[in-house]
Amino acid sequence: MKKKGLLVTLTTITALALFGAACGNSNNSVSKDAIKSGDTSISGDNYAAAAAYYKVATTYGKSDSKAKNYATAANQLASANKKMDNYQLKAALSEAKATSKGTDAINTAKKRLVKKITLTQQTAKAFNHEIALAKKSASNGNTDSALGTINDLLGDKDIQSKPYYRIQIKALELKVSLLKGSTTTTSSNTDSTINSSSSSSSTATTSSSSVASSESDHDDSSATANVTSAEISQARKDLESEGVDVSAWSNSDIAKAVQNAKKYGRTKVTESDMENYQN
């Protein structure tokens, strides 16, 4: 048995033992206590433990269909989180957003995970852009510049996080190729979960420290065709007023969010518009 699976099983057994000891109380009371414990677990992003507690609630309150929904929701969030770690970002975001019929604690955990996955997408896009810049420098014969970009990228602590392991491998493969003096880079295996088409069209003079926030408008001209610069500027202000950090969003990203808002007859852009256009 895998260690993770064993942990979940032990968590379930422990939960059953704890609440089984309370059999002197009514089944309804035990079920409510189990749901409360599940909410506490999911508030700490411990989805597996939360699912176990919600399952206990269904055991003691068999007519309580809500508890069954809570267990399903917790398992969905656990699956979405795993997909994110495995670089399946689009699928992860879709599954997290599809989570429904949860408690307030589950709904809050859902919003937190959706935001985390969205930020991971944006960071991955920026990392892929840096690799594209390094490849362009190498193809122009500027190996030293390419190596500098790749070394800076590999020195970023975030790239060592689990969701970006494929990008880290690409960067390492490119570095090896550059060190061998080859200008022929490894093939681009950009995951289908990330839309990084704008990366390859950006100029090599873009600063690597501001990749995600300063991509030029010509990266995706179709996205900004029907959106004015004034609308993009206002959208950034609207998002910032809601506490949204837009520094990682390019003008074309903002333009797509503006278009999404227009589609629903709104002039004010919200964070959900960014999330929706990425699906």
Side-chain angles (χ1 to χ4, degrees), residues 163-264:
Y164 312 114
Y165 74 96
R166 294 185 187 177
I167 300 176
Q168 185 180 32
I169 290 174
K170 283 200 300 180
L172 288 169
E173 288 176 341
L174 178 56
K175 181 176 181 178
V176 170
S177 177
L178 292 171
L179 289 174
K180 287 182 178 180
S182 171
T183 58
T184 302
T185 61
T186 56
S187 61
S188 175
N189 294 317
T190 303
D191 194 272
S192 61
T193 57
I194 299 178
N195 178 10
S196 58
S197 59
S198 62
S199 299
S200 60
S201 61
S202 296
T203 63
T205 55
T206 304
S207 170
S208 62
S209 64
S210 59
V211 168
S213 61
S214 62
E215 291 179 77
S216 58
D217 289 342
H218 67 266
D219 285 343
D220 192 348
S221 58
S222 62
T224 58
N226 299 315
V227 180
T228 66
S229 58
E231 287 176 316
I232 292 175
S233 177
Q234 184 59 50
R236 286 185 181 276
K237 291 179 181 178
D238 290 340
L239 290 165
E240 288 173 348
S241 69
E242 294 181 358
V244 179
D245 181 6
V246 296
S247 61
W249 296 358
S250 67
N251 283 343
S252 57
D253 287 334
I254 297 294
K256 290 175 183 177
V258 170
Q259 289 178 327
N260 191 74
K262 287 182 176 180
K263 183 171 66 175
Y264 292 99

Side-chain angles (χ1 to χ4, degrees), residues 38-39 42-43 45 47 54 69-70 73-74 76-77 96-115:
D39 285 347
I42 209 159
S43 293
D45 296 335
Y47 310 114
Y54 296 137
N69 290 333
Y70 302 158
Q76 280 184 291
L77 292 180
K97 286 183 175 181
T99 303
S100 61
K101 299 180 180 180
T103 63
D104 288 342
I106 291 175
N107 293 334
T108 299
K110 169 187 173 180
K111 292 178 181 178
R112 190 164 56 247
L113 183 57
V114 165
K115 185 174 182 179

Side-chain angles (χ1 to χ4, degrees), residues 42 47 72-84 88-102 106-118 121 275-276 279:
I42 209 159
Y47 310 114
T72 299
N75 282 321
Q76 280 184 291
L77 292 180
S79 177
N81 188 66
K82 183 177 180 179
K83 283 184 172 65
M84 179 190 68
Q88 300 170 342
L89 303 182
K90 186 174 181 179
L93 187 60
S94 178
E95 186 163 15
K97 286 183 175 181
T99 303
S100 61
K101 299 180 180 180
I106 291 175
N107 293 334
T108 299
K110 169 187 173 180
K111 292 178 181 178
R112 190 164 56 247
L113 183 57
V114 165
K115 185 174 182 179
K116 184 178 180 180
I117 296 171
T118 301
Q121 285 183 317
E275 296 169 357
N276 288 334
N279 282 341

